[in-house]
Amino acid sequence: ITNLQCGQMYNVSIKGTSNECRESMGSHFWIETAPCVPQAVNAQLDCATNVASVSWDSSAGALWYIATAVGGDGLTRTCHTRQADCEIKDLLCGQEYYVTARALDEACESNQNTGHVVVTNSDGNFGCHPRNITTNLSCENNALIVTWTASHIAGSHNITVQGRDGYFASSFSTTGTNW
């Protein structure tokens, strides 16, 4: 039997017939088809917290959902929920993520939705701040050494040194991870 609708309960009856007997007592049972594929997946990344808020339309037959974000670097993050939304954590700022959702019940899971959503930071820019910034002052040379973990998509980083009194000492741009 083909072309059953997703997320539905069906009553299946089996009855036997023969030339001598028109219809014999049969058996019947209920089956439930796999949940429907979630539709209208939407996602937005908050770069301040590296959390994507993901939502979708509820699916018939779903007991819970799994949303998956796959980054351009191949890293995968997921969230599990009984609602039609969840938060995917530990994402990298400025990375493009392809977000899909699938629905599950006790026995089956839907296919992933075929569409995807590209998630960027909430203001639409790809520039992200460097992390793990450390400074080391060399009193002998009157120099400051700055190191950082570069934003994976930034073409350059601007370094500004300003005195406590507001005096602007210098500003430099570099494509490395130290200065």
Side-chain angles (χ1 to χ4, degrees), residues 3-74:
N3 298 323
L4 298 178
Q5 293 183 354
C6 60
Q8 299 297 315
M9 294 285 294
Y10 289 94
N11 185 353
V12 179
S13 299
I14 302 173
K15 297 178 181 178
T17 60
S18 69
N19 288 340
E20 288 83 35
C21 186
R22 238 176 226 249
E23 193 174 285
S24 63
M25 288 297 287
S27 61
H28 70 90
F29 53 93
W30 289 92
I31 63 161
E32 185 174 5
T33 56
C36 295
V37 176
Q39 299 296 318
V41 174
N42 191 7
Q44 200 165 34
L45 178 64
D46 179 352
C47 270
T49 61
N50 293 331
V51 173
S53 297
V54 184
S55 63
W56 52 87
D57 292 342
S58 296
S59 299
L63 295 179
W64 61 92
Y65 301 90
I66 298 175
T68 303
V70 180
D73 56 6

Side-chain angles (χ1 to χ4, degrees), residues 6 10 15 46 78 91 108 113 132 139-140 161 171 174:
C6 60
Y10 289 94
K15 297 178 181 178
D46 179 352
T78 61
L91 299 177
C108 298
N113 57 341
N132 304 322
C139 294
E140 304 151 359
V161 179
S171 176
T174 180

Side-chain angles (χ1 to χ4, degrees), residues 128-130 133 146 148 151 154-161 168 170-176 179:
C128 297
H129 301 293
I133 299 169
V146 182
W148 62 89
S151 164
S156 65
H157 294 88
N158 295 318
I159 303 161
T160 303
V161 179
F168 178 77
S170 58
S171 176
F172 299 88
S173 177
T174 180
T175 57
W179 170 73

Side-chain angles (χ1 to χ4, degrees), residues 77-97:
R77 301 281 190 265
T78 61
C79 60
H80 305 249
T81 181
R82 290 188 177 273
Q83 308 300 317
D85 58 27
C86 64
E87 291 184 339
I88 300 177
K89 299 180 180 179
D90 300 323
L91 299 177
L92 297 175
C93 184
Q95 179 78 19
E96 288 187 351
Y97 285 94

Side-chain angles (χ1 to χ4, degrees), residues 73-156:
D73 56 6
L75 289 178
T76 300
R77 301 281 190 265
T78 61
C79 60
H80 305 249
T81 181
R82 290 188 177 273
Q83 308 300 317
D85 58 27
C86 64
E87 291 184 339
I88 300 177
K89 299 180 180 179
D90 300 323
L91 299 177
L92 297 175
C93 184
Q95 179 78 19
E96 288 187 351
Y97 285 94
Y98 300 94
V99 178
T100 58
R102 61 187 191 275
L104 296 88
D105 65 14
E106 292 174 350
C108 298
E109 83 179 55
S110 72
N111 293 325
Q112 287 187 159
N113 57 341
T114 55
H116 65 271
V117 177
V118 178
V119 181
T120 62
N121 58 344
S122 58
D123 65 4
N125 298 320
F126 278 117
C128 297
H129 301 293
R131 295 173 299 166
N132 304 322
I133 299 169
T134 60
T135 59
N136 210 350
L137 182 61
S138 171
C139 294
E140 304 151 359
N141 301 332
N142 220 14
L144 177 66
I145 299 168
V146 182
T147 60
W148 62 89
T149 302
S151 164
H152 61 285
I153 49 108
S156 65

